[in-house]
Amino acid sequence: MRRTRIAGAVLLAGTVTGLAAGPAQAQEYRYWSFWDGKGGSWAYATQGPATLRPADGAVEGFRFTVGADSAAAGKPRTAADFDAICRDTPAKDGRKRIGIVLDFGTATDAPGGERPPKARTECAQVSEGASAGEALAAVAQPLRYDANALLCAIAGYPKAGCAEAVNGSKEHPSSAASSAGAAEDRDGTNDGGDGSGDGGPSAGLLGGIAAVVVLGAAAVWQARRRRG
């Protein structure tokens, strides 16, 4: 099982392009979704936070949500307004400013016994080559990961659980990733497979889970490098 989960996480990490939405009855998962605020409006990210390297003035959003695919995922409810987020952070040579929106979701989406914190925004000032994941890590500690480097919590929320299935299923997204991975073309696009044949998440959700897997792997690597 451990090998299966690790292999699943690797497949998820490669699934960072936009994927087709799954069927209406697909299993839902509770997870952190990743959004790009291009042009002041939110679009589901097509890259993971570890690979996306936004320019100065970009806004990236994270929303805790319950959904079966990207089409059903809730968008951040705070506007992707860089000027409002970073107006009190002056520009610096050799650094860039990235607006970070953290939407902890609704009480309905919260795990049992937890209440979502209020949404907030942060202005991350990071090196010019920094990724969106590095910008998040600079302003939203503590982050929590599972054994497969899947991002489970931002700013300590939620306290427990990690991309768990709702509606009764106990299967972890990373253990069901192989079917969606097999449906991908060599260029990383999806040819219609939704990963639902083995009870796993829909392909649209895999794109979102992949984003946080890649983020987690990069952050774990970065932490180990600092300790070394």
Side-chain angles (χ1 to χ4, degrees), residues 1-223:
M1 177 62 72
R2 180 175 176 80
R3 290 183 178 179
T4 301
R5 288 190 173 186
I6 292 174
V10 171
L11 283 169
L12 282 168
T15 314
V16 295
T17 55
L19 300 179
Q25 300 302 316
Q27 175 62 58
E28 292 186 325
Y29 290 82
R30 181 180 287 113
Y31 73 108
W32 277 100
S33 59
F34 177 46
W35 299 81
D36 191 7
K38 288 183 178 179
S41 60
W42 295 114
Y44 207 86
T46 58
Q47 294 186 58
T51 59
L52 179 63
R53 300 189 181 277
D56 180 78
V59 180
E60 307 303 331
F62 295 83
R63 165 78 186 263
F64 192 72
T65 187
V66 171
D69 53 61
S70 59
K75 297 180 180 181
R77 291 165 292 175
T78 302
D81 186 342
F82 174 80
D83 290 336
I85 297 170
C86 289
R87 62 189 172 192
D88 295 326
T89 304
K92 289 184 180 180
D93 291 340
R95 309 282 286 177
K96 64 182 179 182
R97 295 169 299 165
I98 308 298
I100 300 292
V101 171
L102 302 176
D103 187 332
F104 297 88
T106 66
T108 301
D109 292 342
E114 296 202 52
R115 296 182 65 181
K118 292 182 179 179
R120 74 177 203 242
T121 62
E122 301 285 351
C123 186
Q125 193 162 62
V126 291
S127 64
E128 291 180 334
S131 67
E134 290 170 319
L136 175 68
V139 297
Q141 295 288 350
L143 305 179
R144 177 168 57 83
Y145 308 91
D146 74 356
N148 298 324
L150 175 65
L151 180 64
C152 307
I154 295 176
Y157 182 80
K159 294 179 181 179
C162 194
E164 70 272 13
V166 297
N167 302 338
S169 174
K170 295 182 179 180
E171 185 170 20
H172 191 282
S174 62
S175 67
S178 56
S179 61
E184 289 182 30
D185 296 329
R186 291 182 180 180
D187 63 358
T189 58
N190 189 275
D191 64 2
D194 60 20
S196 59
D198 62 353
S202 70
L205 179 61
L206 287 177
I209 297 296
V212 291
V213 168
V214 173
L215 168 60
V220 169
W221 173 83
Q222 207 173 26

